[in-house]
């Protein structure tokens, strides 16, 4: 086969992740990204059902699946060019020619007392001929792949199909990750809305107490205005949270293939965010599942094969053709030996001058390959960046959540202390309510950070190509819901 044989383009690989995980060099998997049910690691049945529904009904996945089937059909069409083409034909025709010429004369007619005469003379000449031909033929033609043009085309089609397969796997991973991210954001907003409702009630109570104090001359009008502003600010934030919650619910409905009007998720105020822990060591095989790396590498392979297709155009094409059959004037005697007809002969065709079109096609194919290689290397670098960003987010959000947990715990102690002092009569109810607002704010900060942390873990799983657990014995992803020991 003419043209260069494909070798995976070299890329610069760092020795380890900067943000705390060790790993080894990874290479693309030509068979496409490996799928795994990574969402089971979150132990949420509602989330699992939503993702299962999305993988079955999402229209983006359906479109990617159709594109993959189209790529497979292209491979089959390219492979068919290796084999001869055989056609058959059965025909019958009947043709004829003929005409008529003539003249006529009519004599005089005399009407008298008892006599009448009428004389007519007519003459004509007719000639005609009819012919009939019946034939049955079969034609076979084959162009041997002398220079590998067809095989390079098959190679290119296979690379494109494998890239399409990886894109389908990537679409499934992307949809599942989007469902999980939106779901956790919705649960975070459920908790926010509940906490804001409590803040609204407490601020309303403080406003009533401030107004009563103002009427008694114990508070100024400015204090009333401040209390009003505080209550209205909480109400405004509450509406923003409700808008976001509804929009996330609408987004999940579309992801699972359901009209938003027919879809709802009940609030769960006691929801607990539990992100799976990130291991200290990430094996190199994980990045083999990264769909964009697989797709970019396979597209580079396909582009390399098209160079051979372009170079094969410089060589002559040999075509072997044969026709055999029968031809007769009657159907009854068609398949008799004397009526047999046949032709056999090869043909060799070559382009002598094309104004540089073939050279331009080779340059175009080479440039396309160089572009694909650059895209592949950029995709690998971007994958490293995505993983580093996700690890950084997980590490710092974990520290932030730990700090907010300490703050929340101390504010619980302060609130209990204020309540005890209220019972002892040493502090006012307003002081207790103010401390309760601080406690609610601390709880909201903690829950928000926990929600962001679990969303960051989903993004890390997505950036790693579908989780971080791997079964070396099966060469496939481990089900996160099963204890594996890996």
């Amino acid at each position: 086969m003419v043209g260069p044989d494909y070798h995976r383009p070299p890329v610069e690989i760092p020795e380890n992740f900067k943000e705390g995980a060790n790993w080894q060099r990874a290479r693309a998997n030509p068979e496409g990204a490996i799928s795994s049910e990574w969402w089971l690691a979150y132990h949420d049945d509602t989330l699992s059902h939503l993702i299962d529904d999305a993988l079955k009904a999402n229209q983006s996945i359906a479109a990617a699946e159709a594109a993959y089937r189209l790529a497979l059909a292209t491979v089959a069409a390219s492979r068919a060019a290796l084999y001869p083409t055989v056609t058959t034909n059965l025909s019958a025709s009947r043709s004829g020619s003929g005409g008529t010429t003539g003249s006529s004369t009519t004599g005089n007619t005399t009407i008298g007392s008892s006599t009448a005469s009428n004389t007519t003379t007519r003459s004509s000449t007719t000639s005609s001929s009819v012919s009939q031909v019946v034939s049955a033929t079969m034609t076979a033609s084959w162009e041997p792949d002398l220079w590998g043009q067809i095989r390079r085309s098959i190679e290119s089609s296979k690379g494109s199909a494998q890239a399409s397969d990886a894109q389908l796997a990537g679409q499934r991973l992307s949809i599942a990750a989007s469902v999980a991210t939106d779901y956790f954001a919705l649960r975070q907003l459920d908790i926010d809305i509940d906490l804001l409702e409590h803040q609204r009630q407490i601020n309303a109570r403080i406003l009533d107490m401030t107004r009563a104090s103002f009427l008694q001359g114990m508070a100024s009008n400015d204090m009333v205005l401040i209390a009003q502003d505080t209550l209205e600010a909480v109400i405004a934030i509450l509406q923003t949270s409700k808008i976001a919650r509804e929009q996330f619910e609408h987004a999940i409905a579309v992801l699972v293939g359901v009209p938003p009007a027919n879809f709802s998720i009940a609030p769960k105020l006691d929801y607990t965010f539990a992100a799976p822990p990130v291991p200290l060591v990430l094996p190199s095989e994980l990045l083999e599942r990264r769909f964009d790396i697989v797709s970019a590498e396979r597209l580079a392979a396909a582009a390399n094969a098209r160079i051979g297709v372009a170079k094969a155009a410089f060589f002559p094409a040999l075509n072997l053709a044969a026709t055999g059959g029968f031809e007769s004037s009657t159907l009854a005697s068609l398949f008799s030996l004397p009526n047999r007809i046949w032709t056999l002969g090869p043909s060799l065709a070559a382009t002598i001058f094309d104004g540089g079109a073939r050279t331009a096609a080779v340059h175009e194919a080479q440039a396309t390959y160089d572009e694909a290689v650059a895209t592949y290397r950029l995709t690998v670098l971007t994958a490293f960046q995505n993983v580093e960003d996700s690890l950084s987010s997980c590490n710092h959000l974990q520290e932030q959540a730990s700090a907010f947990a300490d703050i929340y715990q101390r504010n619980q102690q302060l609130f209990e202390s204020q309540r005890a002092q209220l019972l002892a009569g040493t502090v006012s109810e307003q002081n207790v309510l103010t401390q309760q607002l601080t406690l609610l704010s601390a709880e909201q900060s903690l829950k928000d950070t926990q929600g962001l942390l679990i969303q960051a873990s989903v993004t890390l799983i997505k950036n790693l190509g579908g989780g971080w657990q791997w079964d070396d014995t099966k060469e496939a992803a481990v089900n996160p819901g099963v204890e594996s020991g890996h």
Side-chain angles (χ1 to χ4, degrees):
M1 294 188 293
V2 299
D5 292 329
Y6 176 71
H7 300 282
R8 183 176 291 106
V11 293
E12 182 180 354
I13 305 294
E15 292 298 328
N16 58 346
F17 283 116
K18 180 181 178 181
E19 302 302 332
N22 299 320
W23 72 301
Q24 297 174 353
R25 178 170 179 168
R27 63 181 181 84
N29 175 14
E31 300 304 322
I34 299 175
S35 62
S36 65
E37 295 180 331
W38 50 266
W39 52 88
L40 297 179
Y42 294 94
H43 305 288
D44 189 318
D45 292 338
T46 302
L47 173 63
S48 297
H49 290 315
L50 289 173
I51 292 179
D52 289 341
D53 292 342
L55 295 180
K56 295 175 183 176
N58 185 269
Q59 296 306 302
S60 296
I61 295 177
E65 186 178 7
Y68 176 55
R69 288 188 282 110
L70 174 61
L72 291 180
T74 303
V75 174
S78 298
R79 186 178 290 114
L82 286 173
Y83 302 96
T85 301
V86 180
T87 61
T88 185
N89 179 60
L90 179 63
S91 64
S93 63
R94 183 182 179 89
S95 61
S97 63
T100 301
T101 59
S103 62
S104 63
T105 58
T106 301
N108 295 328
T109 300
T110 303
I111 301 178
S113 57
S114 60
T115 63
S117 65
N118 187 358
T119 303
T120 302
T121 303
R122 187 183 302 271
S123 63
S124 63
T125 303
T126 303
S127 63
S128 62
S129 63
V130 177
S131 63
Q132 178 175 284
V133 176
V134 181
S135 65
T137 60
M138 180 176 291
T139 302
S141 62
W142 179 46
E143 182 179 336
D145 190 26
L146 298 178
W147 318 112
Q149 183 178 32
I150 298 175
R151 282 169 287 166
R152 290 296 190 191
S153 296
I154 296 173
E155 184 180 330
S156 176
S157 299
K158 283 184 177 180
S160 298
Q162 290 166 346
S164 181
D165 182 26
Q167 289 166 4
L168 172 59
Q171 191 66 51
R172 293 172 62 87
L173 174 61
S174 178
I175 293 301
S178 295
V179 172
T181 301
D182 291 350
Y183 175 78
F184 290 132
L186 182 143
R187 289 306 186 199
Q188 177 184 339
L189 287 165
D190 283 340
I191 297 173
D192 281 350
I193 291 172
D194 181 59
L195 294 174
L196 287 169
E197 286 285 0
H198 281 83
Q199 293 181 40
R200 182 186 64 80
Q201 295 171 7
I202 294 173
N203 279 289
R205 173 61 179 159
I206 292 176
L207 176 60
D208 291 340
M209 295 173 63
T210 305
R211 283 172 174 168
S213 298
F214 173 71
L215 293 177
Q216 296 174 3
M218 300 175 61
S220 65
N221 185 57
D222 290 348
M223 297 175 65
V224 175
L225 295 177
I226 292 174
Q228 287 177 330
D229 287 346
T230 303
L231 174 61
E232 293 295 340
V234 172
I235 293 175
I237 297 174
L238 181 60
Q239 305 314 308
T240 301
S241 297
K242 288 183 177 181
I243 292 173
R245 203 270 183 194
E246 292 169 358
Q247 291 180 349
F248 277 118
E249 190 176 63
H250 300 162
I252 296 173
V254 174
L255 289 170
V256 300
V258 178
N262 300 334
F263 181 83
S264 63
I265 299 177
K268 193 172 182 179
L269 305 181
D270 59 345
Y271 191 82
T272 301
F273 296 107
V278 181
L280 297 179
V281 177
L282 298 178
S284 62
E285 290 87 347
L286 293 174
L287 288 184
E288 293 185 15
R289 302 183 300 182
R290 174 99 178 196
F291 74 93
D292 51 351
I293 293 179
V294 176
S295 177
E297 190 271 338
R298 289 291 85 198
L299 289 176
N304 180 80
R306 286 194 289 271
I307 297 176
V309 174
K311 287 187 174 181
F314 283 95
F315 298 89
L318 175 64
N319 187 279
L320 304 177
T323 302
F326 298 88
E327 184 176 276
S328 175
S329 60
T330 61
L331 181 61
S333 61
L334 175 62
F335 297 102
S336 60
L337 190 60
N339 295 323
R340 185 179 62 178
I341 59 173
W342 59 272
T343 60
L344 176 65
S347 64
L348 191 66
T351 302
I352 303 301
F353 178 76
D354 61 2
R358 289 172 295 174
T359 302
V362 172
H363 291 167
E364 179 183 0
Q366 291 173 336
T368 302
Y369 171 73
D370 292 340
E371 180 184 9
V373 170
T375 301
Y376 167 63
R377 289 172 174 161
L378 178 60
T379 302
V380 173
L381 290 174
T382 303
F384 297 155
Q385 177 191 356
N386 295 155
V387 174
E388 295 283 8
D389 289 347
S390 296
L391 287 171
S392 175
S393 296
C394 289
N395 291 338
H396 293 296
L397 285 172
Q398 186 67 50
E399 293 293 331
Q400 187 176 5
S402 178
F404 279 129
D406 292 340
I407 294 174
Y408 176 66
Q409 185 178 7
R410 286 192 291 269
N411 276 278
Q412 280 184 315
Q413 296 175 353
L414 290 171
F415 177 64
E416 293 299 331
S417 176
Q418 290 288 318
R419 290 179 62 184
Q421 294 180 53
L422 176 64
L423 294 176
T426 57
V427 297
S428 66
E429 180 184 359
Q430 188 166 349
N431 289 339
V432 176
L433 293 177
T434 301
Q435 182 58 47
Q436 187 176 4
L437 285 174
T438 304
L439 176 63
L440 290 173
S441 178
E443 183 179 2
Q444 184 175 355
S445 297
L446 174 59
K447 295 296 184 180
D448 285 348
T449 304
Q450 290 175 340
L452 293 175
L453 176 59
I454 201 169
Q455 293 175 54
S457 72
V458 173
T459 303
L460 176 60
I461 288 173
K462 177 183 176 183
N463 290 336
L464 288 172
W468 44 68
Q469 292 184 325
W470 188 273
D471 188 347
D472 293 327
T473 61
K474 297 180 180 179
E475 296 184 353
V478 173
N479 188 332
V482 179
E483 294 295 333
S484 63
H486 288 280

